[in-house]
Amino acid sequence: MNIIRLLVIVLSCFCISDIFADSNKPFVIPELKEWKGGNGYFEISNKSRIVYDENNLELKMIAETFANDIWQMFKIRMKTVAGKSSTGDFVLSLNKKKTKNSEEEYSVLIKDRVLVEAPQTIGIYWATRTILQMMEQDAAHRLSYGKINDWPDYPVRGFMLDCGRKFIPLEFLRDYVKIMSYYKMNTFQIHLNDNAFPRFYKWNLMKTYSAFRLECETYPGLTAQDGFYTKQEFIDLQKMAEQKYVNIIPEIDVPAHSLAFTQYMPEIGSKEYGMDHLDLFNPKTYEFLDKLFKEYLEGENPVFRGKQVHIGTDEYSNKNQKVVEKFRYFTDYYIKYIERFGKQACIWGALTHAKGNTSVKSENVIMSAWYNGYADPVDMIKQGYKLISIPDRYLYIVPAAKYYYNYLKTDFLYKEWTPAHVGEVVFEEKHPSILGGMFAVWNDHAGNGISTKDIHDRTFPAIQTLSVKMWTGASPKLSFNEFNRLRKKLSEAPGVNQYGKIGSGSGLVYEQNIVEPNTILPYDEVGYNYKIEFRLDGEVEKFGTELFRSENSVFYLSDPIQGMMGFARDGYLNVFPYRVKKEMVKIRLEGDSISTRLFIDDKLVEDMQIERKYFNAGKDSMNYVRTLVFPLHKSGNFNSKVKNLKIYQYKR
């Protein structure tokens, strides 16, 4: 009896220990694979340093990045040093252990110092992201004692952004590299060319909006003039991404979605299948594309720096077998052409749609598996392709378009989806031919008023959710409701505030008695769910007079065209039916992710909700979005007097 009681006590201790170890498991995104908790906390002191192995420049770079992130997030200065560590230090070191689970695995031991170890530097970097997330959830930026072992199940964890139909400013791309890196998403596909739908342009393809976003010297005039990246800017973006362990995959989409090229050189457009299709039977098409790709691939320091280049190859006509075989030839040709420059080719899945006899290289080729009707994933794996799971019915965002998703169903994805789910086909977890997953934002409806802030509002929750599901195929330990609550406590990334948050509270976040013209305010902008109030002693203002501006937008007291109150962002101008006059009024502006509202003396002037625009005698329509993340950075050169400015922001 005594032995039985002793066994019960011992087993109970083990159970209590296990419960404790799991109950104080830190919340981070993606979820930690293994955690063993201890008693106590590690606290940064004024003597704490970041110590790294001597003679390792990459570890030195990570240490400096880590120190800079700690300063940006917590305003704590940390020295970085090579050599021996002391109590209170962070220690970054490579170990010589063989990787058991992944090249990206890492361990963290938190005791009197924080010992970070990994077989490769990428693991060290991911560990610093984990530590930062832990620190930002504690008011004193402490770390619970414990041991972390962590690794991803899938090597590719990605996001694709359509910059062809909507120009995405370089600074937004830079911020997205930082955001993805913070959540251990390591693959950023940038879709560099595309075209809008001709139904919104009177079915005239040659007048339909299209764009190619890179500076091009081979074909002067090809580059979109409403927004593009110089070659040096794109190189610098990739270099910055490399330092944050994010791989940028540039995509030039051919032979469909190619209207930017055929508008430039009409003779290479298909007369049979539409001018958004390249003519695959015309030798000039290959001559054009060879030179185009070569400009970005050749030389010791090419514009496309990474290991992979995406060549598109989706949604081409399969009207007859002749064109199918030519499409397959084209795909094979450009896979091999890319490889000549030492790159790995990536393609969209289309070879079930274009089933034929012409061989298409599969060895060492990555296929984006987006729709099983275009590329049956079972068959593609049999043929030898490595797949990235990006099923359209789960992972496509098309903002405000009313097809696919406006916002992803993150609750469903969190509970049900992993990269092993390719459409309706479910493979075993960690299948060797499935590299990982990716989700996409397609800006199909060019000209629909969507801003980069609106894109961010849709993508950031998806990044946080899918980061979990691409890191591990296992079911998360937390319920979705608990995850959704806790994820909102984490920042976007060190130094990133696309949401325009002011402080951490909800309600009045800033006030100023008098706003003088041409002055700098302490905040750049205020994000959705805001209310802005002020007294305006109005004077007649010149057209184009600004109230406030930021890097992303301008709010006008008198817009440049009609002299009305309004705002401009992302190349769109929206105006309210109100003109500033020589009178004293109370102004109130409210904004969220759906609309922007103006009140004068507490009376609603206009609620700028989503507006429906019609085309082709009402047969076609498009949603037009009129949202605004309100600019605050600098006041304009106005004559009116602005008093009693109050800014409210409410938690979402």
Side-chain angles (χ1 to χ4, degrees):
M1 187 71 176
N2 290 337
I3 294 174
I4 292 172
R5 288 181 65 189
L6 181 62
L7 283 171
V8 169
I9 292 169
V10 171
L11 288 171
S12 297
C13 289
F14 275 117
C15 291
I16 291 168
S17 175
D18 288 345
I19 290 168
F20 173 75
D22 193 58
S23 66
N24 74 339
K25 180 180 178 181
F27 174 78
V28 298
I29 298 177
E31 183 178 328
L32 299 175
K33 281 288 200 334
E34 294 179 357
W35 163 260
K36 186 175 181 181
N39 291 310
Y41 292 92
F42 170 87
E43 299 185 49
I44 296 177
S45 74
N46 57 7
K47 294 182 180 179
S48 294
R49 306 169 301 166
I50 302 171
V51 182
Y52 57 90
D53 287 348
E54 294 184 72
N55 303 319
N56 191 312
L57 292 178
E58 202 167 354
L59 279 183
K60 182 175 185 285
M61 181 193 75
I62 293 172
E64 290 171 349
T65 298
F66 188 32
N68 185 60
D69 292 339
I70 289 173
W71 168 249
Q72 282 191 309
M73 296 180 76
F74 315 123
K75 301 307 176 191
I76 299 171
R77 291 286 187 195
M78 298 280 289
K79 288 184 178 180
T80 61
V81 296
K84 294 182 179 180
S85 67
S86 302
T87 298
D89 288 343
F90 293 90
V91 187
L92 314 182
S93 61
L94 295 174
N95 59 42
K96 295 182 179 179
K97 295 177 184 177
K98 284 189 176 181
T99 55
K100 292 191 301 183
N101 303 293
S102 164
E103 293 180 348
E104 300 173 82
E105 68 180 297
Y106 66 89
S107 66
V108 182
L109 179 62
I110 306 168
K111 292 177 69 178
D112 65 323
R113 65 201 76 191
V114 180
L115 303 176
V116 178
E117 288 190 341
Q120 298 191 29
T121 50
I122 188 171
I124 301 289
Y125 182 78
W126 291 148
T128 63
R129 307 303 91 186
T130 294
I131 292 167
L132 289 169
Q133 288 189 25
M134 291 170 66
M135 289 175 67
E136 73 164 302
Q137 294 175 82
D138 185 273
H141 314 309
R142 303 173 302 171
L143 299 171
S144 297
Y145 280 179
K147 175 70 183 290
I148 296 168
N149 289 307
D150 201 15
W151 63 91
D153 286 342
Y154 292 96
V156 174
R157 307 175 298 279
F159 168 51
M160 192 230 73
L161 181 56
D162 175 5
C163 302
R165 297 183 180 102
K166 173 178 173 56
F167 177 64
I168 307 296
L170 189 67
E171 197 54 42
F172 187 86
L173 298 182
R174 290 174 60 85
D175 273 357
Y176 256 72
V177 167
K178 296 173 187 175
I179 291 168
M180 292 176 67
S181 175
Y182 197 51
Y183 292 99
K184 304 186 183 79
M185 299 275 276
N186 64 0
T187 305
F188 190 10
Q189 183 173 324
I190 299 179
H191 187 78
L192 289 165
N193 68 283
D194 218 315
N195 43 268
F197 296 159
R199 64 177 178 269
F200 300 125
Y201 299 85
K202 299 181 179 179
W203 295 101
N204 186 335
L205 273 167
M206 297 310 287
K207 292 184 178 180
T208 297
Y209 182 82
S210 69
F212 176 67
R213 298 297 182 192
L214 276 182
E215 173 190 8
C216 186
E217 295 176 86
T218 303
Y219 301 110
L222 175 63
T223 302
Q225 293 305 298
D226 65 335
F228 69 95
Y229 317 115
T230 69
K231 289 191 282 188
Q232 190 58 54
E233 285 174 339
F234 202 72
I235 289 169
D236 291 343
L237 174 68
Q238 293 166 90
K239 287 181 177 179
M240 176 258 197
E242 289 162 11
Q243 292 180 345
K244 297 188 178 300
Y245 295 89
V246 174
N247 175 39
I248 288 180
I249 301 179
E251 180 189 355
I252 296 179
D253 196 359
V254 289
H257 301 272
S258 298
L259 191 59
F261 305 136
T262 64
Q263 287 177 343
Y264 178 83
M265 186 178 286
E267 58 264 40
I268 64 172
S270 174
K271 308 302 185 292
E272 185 172 359
Y273 306 114
M275 290 295 285
D276 56 343
H277 287 48
L278 296 174
D279 184 351
L280 304 184
F281 298 90
N282 186 346
K284 288 185 178 180
T285 297
Y286 299 84
E287 180 183 341
F288 176 89
L289 291 180
D290 285 359
K291 291 179 180 178
L292 182 70
F293 275 112
K294 185 179 179 182
E295 178 170 346
Y296 307 110
L297 292 170
E298 69 177 345
E300 293 183 2
N301 298 296
V303 176
F304 292 168
R305 291 174 52 87
K307 296 177 181 178
Q308 290 96 23
V309 172
H310 205 296
I311 59 172
T313 70
D314 71 322
E315 297 188 301
Y316 200 91
S317 174
N318 65 347
K319 183 178 179 181
N320 58 57
Q321 200 59 35
K322 183 181 177 183
V323 74
V324 164
E325 299 298 343
K326 199 64 175 176
F327 172 82
R328 293 176 67 89
Y329 166 82
F330 176 96
T331 303
D332 183 70
Y333 177 93
Y334 279 103
I335 287 171
K336 292 172 180 174
Y337 187 81
I338 294 298
E339 291 177 340
R340 281 170 47 189
F341 295 90
K343 305 297 184 183
Q344 184 180 24
C346 303
I347 61 174
W348 291 105
L351 296 181
T352 300
H353 174 76
K355 194 170 185 178
N357 299 316
T358 304
S359 63
V360 180
K361 188 176 185 293
S362 62
E363 183 183 359
N364 197 38
V365 176
I366 297 174
M367 179 178 285
S368 304
W370 68 282
Y371 173 52
N372 295 1
Y374 264 70
D376 174 57
V378 175
D379 186 36
M380 295 302 105
I381 287 174
K382 284 181 181 177
Q383 290 187 35
Y385 293 99
K386 300 292 187 183
L387 305 186
I388 293 176
S389 178
I390 181 172
D392 60 344
R393 66 171 295 181
Y394 300 134
L395 298 176
Y396 273 19
I397 296 172
V398 185
K402 293 202 170 181
Y403 61 88
Y404 286 128
Y405 292 103
N406 194 22
Y407 291 79
L408 292 185
K409 292 185 176 180
T410 50
D411 55 346
F412 168 81
L413 294 170
Y414 185 81
K415 296 171 187 175
E416 304 291 340
W417 185 82
T418 76
H421 295 238
V422 186
E424 295 303 307
V425 179
V426 181
F427 295 90
E428 63 184 82
E429 288 298 332
K430 297 184 279 187
H431 190 290
S433 293
I434 298 177
L435 300 178
M438 189 178 288
F439 78 103
V441 168
W442 295 102
N443 293 304
D444 290 7
H445 287 187
N448 69 347
I450 283 287
S451 69
T452 54
K453 300 295 186 179
D454 295 320
I455 290 172
H456 179 65
D457 199 56
R458 288 153 173 78
T459 54
F460 184 63
I463 279 180
Q464 288 184 308
T465 304
L466 291 169
S467 165
V468 176
K469 304 311 299 284
M470 293 176 183
W471 185 264
T472 175
S475 298
K477 298 289 178 63
L478 294 175
S479 69
F480 174 74
N481 287 340
E482 185 68 0
F483 167 80
N484 199 41
R485 180 183 70 82
L486 291 172
R487 74 167 182 84
K488 295 175 183 178
K489 295 185 176 183
L490 292 175
S491 61
E492 294 158 72
V496 177
N497 189 15
Q498 284 287 336
Y499 269 133
K501 289 184 178 178
I502 297 179
S504 57
S506 184
L508 181 65
V509 293
Y510 180 73
E511 58 184 326
Q512 185 170 321
N513 288 334
I514 297 175
V515 179
E516 298 288 352
N518 303 305
T519 56
I520 303 297
L521 275 71
Y523 300 103
D524 288 334
E525 52 196 6
V526 56
Y528 295 145
N529 286 17
Y530 62 80
K531 179 173 70 174
I532 297 171
E533 297 178 340
F534 57 91
R535 277 281 171 190
L536 185 72
D537 293 353
E539 297 287 346
V540 176
E541 302 283 5
K542 294 180 181 178
F543 281 25
T545 298
E546 300 174 3
L547 175 62
F548 294 115
R549 79 157 39 240
S550 71
E551 184 179 338
N552 299 302
S553 60
V554 178
F555 193 91
Y556 292 104
L557 283 176
S558 176
D559 86 86
I561 298 173
Q562 301 177 63
M564 311 295 278
M565 187 172 281
F567 59 91
R569 86 289 186 278
D570 292 73
Y572 300 99
L573 175 65
N574 295 285
V575 297
F576 295 101
Y578 176 75
R579 188 187 301 273
V580 172
K581 300 182 282 292
K582 192 174 177 61
E583 61 180 1
M584 181 184 292
V585 291
K586 176 186 175 184
I587 305 288
R588 183 167 93 245
L589 291 148
E590 298 175 354
D592 54 36
S593 61
I594 297 172
S595 69
T596 311
R597 301 172 290 280
L598 171 66
F599 297 81
I600 302 294
D601 291 332
D602 294 321
K603 182 179 179 181
L604 179 65
V605 173
E606 185 178 3
D607 182 355
M608 286 189 180
Q609 296 197 18
I610 294 174
E611 182 181 29
R612 198 75 172 161
K613 290 189 173 183
Y614 292 91
F615 303 82
N616 305 319
K619 293 179 181 178
D620 296 297
S621 62
M622 176 193 293
N623 285 329
Y624 179 72
V625 178
R626 299 178 288 173
T627 52
L628 175 67
V629 167
F630 198 88
L632 289 173
H633 176 68
K634 184 180 179 181
S635 62
N637 187 27
F638 44 76
N639 295 319
S640 302
K641 291 181 173 58
V642 178
K643 302 176 181 178
N644 302 324
L645 173 68
K646 293 185 178 181
I647 298 172
Y648 301 82
Q649 189 174 45
Y650 303 98
K651 286 186 177 180
R652 305 175 65 187

